[in-house]
């Protein structure tokens, strides 16, 4: 029996979060914020950024818990469905652990600019420009802080593209896409669904090889599309600081799995974030 309204809100929020984002494996943007920082009592600053090609990118910035301030900024690059309102529990867990968190919506998602999309496509190269714009703005606003990206599923492609340009101090990926062609082949087998890729996807494996910043990868043992073997191979390079966190679960389930029980607004993803903090400390970044 659920004993409090607060618990109800946590469960409803988790249902919205998990229901909006699992295994979409092709673009499913949501223009409506079913949760906002205000609805969860989170302090934040809203800001709209302009990309070089004229798109307006909506962002929310969350200040870190004062007693734990790590002087590190984390940008959250989410997957192929929902919007940044679907990932407020992620933002809260990171900010409560002392990180300044910036969430943003790709063009065509949330309240960012309109953008015509084929729902069968996995991603668009323009999403990387959106992330670059957010990273540049964060660098200008917080020049003394380390800056990295926590990325999920499709967002790992976007984040790796930006990281390969030397724009990040670290990269965290959950459900890491290492080869888009192999990825869509596995989606076809798992869901009998045809997913399209932009022409630039053919160059992605070579681009991924250029990422030099420290990298932490979360991978589920039951993930059928971004497999544990993919992640093990990704972190195997001896000339790069890379680590793997393996968990029992499926695609992009790490945040829920790596949570203290019972799961609440305060505990959701706390063990996940602890692994990020330990990694950054070991890498000399936090």
């Amino acid at each position: 029996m659920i004993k409090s309204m607060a618990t109800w809100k946590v469960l409803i929020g988790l249902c919205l979060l998990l229901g909006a984002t699992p295994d979409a494996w092709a673009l499913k943007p949501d223009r409506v914020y079913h949760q906002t920082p205000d609805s969860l009592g989170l302090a934040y600053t809203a800001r709209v950024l302009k990309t070089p090609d004229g798109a307006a990118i909506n962002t929310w910035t969350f200040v870190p818990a004062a007693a734990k301030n790590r002087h590190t900024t984390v940008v959250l690059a989410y997957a192929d469905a929902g919007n940044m309102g679907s990932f407020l529990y992620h933002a809260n867990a990171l900010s409560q652990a002392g990180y300044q968190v910036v969430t943003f919506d790709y063009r065509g998602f949330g309240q960012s600019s309109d953008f015509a999309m084929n729902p069968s496509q996995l991603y668009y190269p323009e999403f990387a420009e959106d992330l670059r714009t957010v990273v540049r703005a964060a660098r200008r606003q917080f020049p003394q802080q380390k800056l990295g990206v926590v990325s999920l599923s499709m967002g790992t492609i976007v984040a790796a593209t930006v990281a390969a340009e030397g724009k990040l101090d670290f990269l965290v990926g959950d459900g890491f896409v290492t080869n888009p062609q192999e990825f869509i082949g596995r989606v076809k087998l798992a869901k009998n669904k045809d997913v399209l890729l932009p022409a630039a996807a053919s160059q992605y494996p070579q681009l991924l090889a250029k990422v030099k910043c420290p990298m932490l990868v979360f991978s589920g043992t039951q993930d059928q599309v971004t497999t544990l073997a993919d992640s093990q191979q990704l972190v195997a390079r001896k000339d790069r600081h890379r680590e793997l966190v393996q968990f029992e679960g499926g695609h992009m389930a790490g945040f829920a799995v790596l949570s203290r029980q019972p799961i609440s607004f305060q505990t959701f993803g706390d063990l996940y974030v602890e692994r990020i903090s330990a990694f950054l400390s070991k890498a000399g970044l936090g």
Side-chain angles (χ1 to χ4, degrees):
M1 180 176 179
I2 298 172
K3 297 182 179 180
S4 70
M5 183 60 69
T7 304
W8 269 114
K9 288 181 178 179
V10 168
L11 292 177
I12 291 170
L14 286 172
C15 288
L16 284 170
L17 170 68
L18 299 175
T21 60
D23 299 351
W25 297 335
L27 292 168
K28 191 177 180 182
D30 194 342
R31 285 302 212 172
V32 178
Y33 294 130
H34 301 285
Q35 292 188 118
T36 65
D38 300 298
S39 69
L40 294 176
L42 301 178
Y44 73 108
T45 301
R47 184 181 180 191
V48 177
L49 305 174
K50 285 285 188 179
T51 66
D53 60 350
I57 303 303
N58 200 31
T59 74
W60 297 333
T61 299
F62 303 82
V63 298
K68 301 179 181 179
N69 194 337
R70 297 176 183 273
H71 304 287
T72 299
T73 298
V74 171
V75 178
L76 182 62
Y78 57 76
D80 53 359
N83 55 51
M84 62 180 171
S86 307
F87 296 90
L88 288 173
Y89 282 55
H90 296 67
N92 177 67
L94 287 161
S95 64
Q96 289 303 309
Y99 297 100
Q100 180 163 251
V101 183
V102 181
T103 63
F104 74 100
D105 280 319
Y106 308 109
R107 61 190 72 192
F109 288 72
Q111 293 182 6
S112 290
S113 285
D114 290 336
F115 183 62
M117 289 182 280
N118 184 335
S120 294
Q121 185 137 321
L122 181 62
Y123 74 102
Y124 283 87
E126 285 86 351
F127 297 165
E129 190 59 62
D130 302 338
L131 177 57
R132 286 188 199 97
T133 298
V134 176
V135 168
R136 280 194 297 265
R139 286 287 192 196
R140 288 193 298 267
Q141 189 172 2
F142 313 109
Q144 304 303 316
Q145 297 196 8
K146 298 295 184 182
L147 188 150
V149 172
V150 172
S151 55
L152 308 172
S153 193
M154 179 277 285
T156 64
I157 300 175
V158 176
T161 300
V162 175
E165 301 163 358
K167 299 182 184 299
L168 303 179
D169 295 314
F170 61 89
L171 173 60
V172 178
D174 188 343
F176 213 114
V177 180
T178 59
N179 187 310
Q181 291 288 353
E182 291 182 356
F183 179 90
I184 65 172
R186 293 168 183 166
V187 171
K188 178 66 173 178
L189 287 174
K191 300 183 72 172
N192 194 29
K193 183 176 183 179
D194 293 312
V195 177
L196 305 176
L197 294 171
S202 63
Q203 301 301 314
Y204 175 73
Q206 292 81 9
L207 183 149
L208 180 58
K210 296 179 181 180
V211 177
K212 297 180 179 180
C213 66
M215 183 187 299
L216 178 65
V217 178
F218 289 86
S219 184
T221 58
Q222 300 167 35
D223 192 336
Q224 298 179 6
V225 291
T226 54
T227 66
L228 179 59
D230 289 344
S231 295
Q232 290 170 331
Q233 184 175 3
L234 181 61
V235 303
R237 291 192 59 157
K238 302 301 183 182
D239 61 331
R240 308 285 164 87
H241 187 106
R242 295 182 178 179
E243 293 184 16
L244 174 66
V245 176
Q246 177 180 323
F247 60 88
E248 297 297 323
H251 185 69
M252 219 173 67
F255 220 89
V257 171
L258 298 173
S259 301
R260 285 185 174 85
Q261 301 297 321
I263 295 180
S264 69
F265 191 41
Q266 286 70 38
T267 66
F268 184 61
D270 56 355
L271 300 178
Y272 187 105
V273 176
E274 285 182 10
R275 298 303 292 267
I276 294 175
S277 297
F279 168 75
L280 293 180
S281 179
K282 187 175 180 180
L285 294 170

